[in-house]
């Protein structure tokens, strides 16, 4: 029997993190949890640690560390706080695979630290590749570390490529649900509320990615993620809206053959595949039934209405620090939209403003990217009324 895989789950209290723990709960013979981390939802983290008995936990909010230590020390579980502790913990001996399920730019440094320590990565945190795809994939090659995609579209592509490693990809088709505002005009989008944007038709996810899905920024981030994961040019990435979210993405090979991966929308499958690859593990999750879906439909994305997607594809084309600037500006835009400080369409305005004003760097190193990220955040906050800046 293969040895149990030892996991670090970064962001275990989030949507992907809790679903990853469900997978671990369902497959107790396969996985053992070594490290759990969160930002500030420490009650849930303590509960998870008492159940899964990791070696250590890391929290973001240092003020809550004494409480976490009190709860976990008697069980022999170590507890630390802060970003440096997180970077050190992923390098712990005994961890095989690090699942990066943090949200946003905060995922970059721990992912880099895990790669440097030679750990395989199950990558949910797409922002890492958007910000620093060139550096991260180069580091992974140098350390002979595998990056297994968790994002459902990228997992679909990865699954279609199994057994095809020698065959070049002609193109991929990334499917998009279109989100809750598919078919709406710009006039209608100007008036949409946070509550409407937070209701995704097919997926139950964290707030940031849910807003990104409504604005189609998520698909732009995913195109950039796919470029780095599968070494593609812009012309090889086609985006098609598929509202039922059954076909998770497609690979077209040079003989014209297309392979698609499909199934009900449930993130547990791509999470489990990233953790168990190359094995497929038995599950009793609901199966897709063709007769219940008489029509699977496809349409072009509307780039004129959903400008975020056009901005992201343009940033991908420009390369350099442009995707990093796009990401930073978007993180601030989403945060401000969630605080009701700006409207839905103003998110694209902020991103466009930052892309136009942060100086372009063609071949950025990590320090350049950190500076671009900080500058984009500063510019984005400067644009909005002072009451909302912090
Ligand atoms: P959530 O917001 O649900 O969870 C984020 C997790 O990261 C939480 O555990 C949170 O802790 C932790 N966290 C947030 N900020 C920090 C920080 N600064 N330092 C340390 N920990 C932090 O996000 P999701 O699970 O939805 O998404 C995670 C990633 O996966 C994103 O990059 C997203 O794009 C990607 N993804 C998600 C999908 C989904 O279905 N949810 C699908 C495909 C990709 P706390 O709970 O304490 O705040
Ligand atoms: Mg996705």
């Amino acid at each position: 029997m293969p040895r149990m895989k030892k996991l670090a789950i970064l962001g275990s209290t989030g949507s992907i993190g809790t679903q990853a723990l469900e997978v671990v709960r369902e497959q107790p013979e396969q996985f053992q949890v070594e490290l759990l981390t969160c930002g500030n939802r420490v009650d849930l983290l303590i509960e998870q640690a008492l159940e899964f008995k990791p070696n250590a936990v890391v929290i973001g909010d240092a003020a809550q560390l004494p409480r976490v230590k009190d709860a976990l020390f008697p069980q022999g579980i170590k507890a630390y706080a802060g970003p440096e502790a997180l970077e050190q913990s992923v390098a712990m001996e005994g961890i095989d695979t690090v699942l990066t399920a943090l949200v946003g730019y905060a995922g970059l440094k721990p992912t880099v630290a895990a790669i440097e320590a030679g750990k395989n990565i199950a990558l949910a945190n797409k922002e890492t590749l958007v910000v620093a795809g060139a550096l991260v994939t180069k580091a992974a090659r140098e350390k002979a570390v595998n990056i297994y995609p968790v994002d459902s579209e990228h997992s679909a592509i990865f699954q279609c490529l199994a057994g095809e490693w020698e065959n070049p990809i002609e193109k991929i088709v990334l499917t998009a649900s279109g989100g809750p505002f598919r078919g709406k005009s710009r006039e209608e989008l100007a008036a949409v509320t946070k509550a409407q944007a937070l209701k995704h038709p097919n997926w139950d996810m964290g707030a940031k990615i849910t807003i990104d899905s409504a604005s189609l920024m998520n698909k732009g981030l995913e195109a950039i993620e796919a470029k780095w994961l599968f070494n593609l040019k812009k012309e090889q990435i086609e985006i098609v809206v598929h509202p039922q979210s059954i076909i998770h993405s497609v690979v077209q090979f040079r003989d014209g053959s297309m392979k698609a991966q499909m199934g009900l929308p449930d993130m547990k499958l791509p999470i489990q595949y990233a953790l168990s690859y190359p094995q497929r593990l038995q599950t009793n999750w609901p199966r897709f039934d063709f007769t219940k879906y008489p029509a699977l439909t496809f349409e072009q994305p509307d780039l004129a209405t959903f400008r975020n997607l056009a901005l992201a594809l343009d940033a991908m084309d420009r390369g350099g620090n442009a995707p990093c600037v796009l990401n930073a500006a978007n993180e601030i835009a989403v945060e401000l939209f969630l605080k009701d400080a700006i409207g839905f369409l103003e998110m694209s305005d902020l991103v466009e403003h930052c892309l136009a004003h942060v100086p372009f760097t063609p071949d950025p190193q990590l320090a350049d990217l950190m500076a671009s990220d900080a500058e984009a955040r500063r510019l984005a906050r400067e644009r909005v009324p002072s009451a909302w800046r912090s």
Side-chain angles (χ1 to χ4, degrees):
M1 204 171 112
R3 193 173 70 84
M4 283 174 103
K5 270 197 192 155
K6 297 186 176 174
L7 308 179
I9 302 181
L10 312 189
S12 64
T13 51
S15 161
I16 294 287
T18 50
Q19 292 180 85
L21 286 174
E22 278 178 46
V23 167
V24 173
R25 202 179 278 124
E26 290 172 25
Q27 305 283 353
E29 316 278 287
Q30 302 288 336
F31 306 115
Q32 184 180 322
V33 177
E34 290 289 314
L35 177 70
L36 293 174
T37 85
C38 77
N40 49 36
R41 277 185 280 179
V42 301
D43 289 328
L44 178 54
L45 186 85
I46 290 171
E47 207 179 288
Q48 293 176 337
L50 292 174
E51 177 181 353
F52 291 96
K53 306 271 185 304
N55 184 2
V57 302
V58 182
I59 62 169
D61 177 9
Q64 302 198 67
L65 188 58
R67 193 153 67 81
V68 178
K69 280 189 167 165
D70 283 350
L72 301 182
F73 186 72
Q75 306 295 322
I77 301 168
K78 302 180 209 73
Y80 309 99
E84 287 79 25
L86 184 55
E87 283 170 52
Q88 285 162 11
S89 310
V90 294
M92 251 169 27
E93 217 178 304
I95 294 173
D96 301 314
T97 300
V98 176
L99 170 63
T100 65
L102 284 85
V103 62
Y105 179 83
L108 174 61
K109 284 198 177 170
T111 307
V112 171
I115 292 172
E116 293 295 335
K119 312 296 185 189
N120 284 321
I121 306 291
L123 185 105
N125 179 250
K126 65 189 81 187
E127 294 90 347
T128 287
L129 287 184
V130 172
V131 172
L135 299 179
V136 168
T137 51
K138 180 164 173 270
R141 276 194 305 277
E142 283 170 4
K143 289 281 175 185
V145 154
N146 295 313
I147 301 181
Y148 300 112
V150 169
D151 215 342
S152 59
E153 296 78 0
H154 307 73
S155 174
I157 293 162
F158 185 61
Q159 292 181 58
C160 293
L161 289 173
E164 304 273 10
W165 308 121
E166 303 300 317
N167 286 320
I169 297 172
E170 189 168 84
K171 74 167 188 189
I172 62 164
V173 182
L174 274 185
T175 51
S177 71
F181 303 141
R182 184 172 59 90
K184 286 211 188 299
S185 66
R186 286 187 65 79
E187 292 67 41
E188 289 169 310
L189 286 182
V192 298
T193 64
K194 172 172 90 178
Q196 290 169 313
L198 282 170
K199 270 207 191 85
H200 194 278
N202 303 339
W203 300 98
D204 183 9
M205 310 179 285
K208 186 272 167 182
I209 185 177
T210 306
I211 300 301
D212 285 345
S213 299
S215 73
L216 294 203
M217 177 57 90
N218 183 50
K219 213 46 57 178
L221 301 179
E222 290 184 355
I224 301 171
E225 183 186 10
K227 167 193 153 120
W228 292 114
L229 281 173
F230 306 112
N231 194 19
L232 301 171
K233 300 196 175 66
K234 188 188 174 195
E235 312 75 71
Q236 290 174 289
I237 304 174
E238 182 182 342
I239 295 171
V240 170
V241 173
H242 165 46
Q244 297 81 21
S245 296
I246 295 298
I247 292 184
H248 299 306
S249 278
V250 177
V251 180
Q252 180 174 307
F253 295 95
R254 61 179 167 179
D255 58 358
S257 176
M258 298 175 106
K259 284 169 85 175
Q261 188 266 339
M262 58 194 292
L264 292 171
D266 181 349
M267 283 308 296
K268 282 202 293 184
L269 193 138
I271 293 169
Q272 176 170 295
Y273 191 71
L275 298 179
S276 70
Y277 177 85
Q279 256 193 303
R280 286 189 185 275
L281 304 177
Q282 181 71 49
T283 72
N284 56 11
W285 303 330
R287 268 45 174 169
F288 172 71
D289 176 350
F290 276 94
T291 60
K292 290 193 181 136
Y293 287 79
L296 296 180
T297 60
F298 305 92
E299 57 197 66
Q300 290 280 349
D302 178 354
L303 269 70
T305 304
F306 293 90
R307 281 180 50 236
N308 270 356
L309 178 54
L311 290 168
L313 295 177
D314 188 48
M316 172 168 79
D317 215 20
R318 285 177 71 195
N321 65 340
C324 168
V325 171
L326 170 102
N327 177 71
N330 181 58
E331 286 191 22
I332 300 299
V334 171
E335 181 193 316
L336 293 170
F337 176 70
L338 286 171
K339 284 181 180 166
D340 295 317
I342 60 174
F344 191 79
L345 294 177
E346 285 170 287
M347 290 197 285
S348 307
D349 298 341
L350 268 191
V351 171
E352 191 168 29
H353 173 75
C354 293
L355 281 167
H357 289 91
V358 176
F360 182 69
T361 315
D363 188 16
Q365 297 307 299
L366 199 54
D368 305 316
L369 293 171
M370 287 165 68
S372 299
D373 175 88
E375 178 61 3
R377 283 168 200 267
R378 191 189 66 73
L379 277 174
R381 288 195 194 283
E382 200 182 72
R383 284 278 281 195
V384 296
S386 56
W388 297 109
R389 273 183 208 150
S390 58

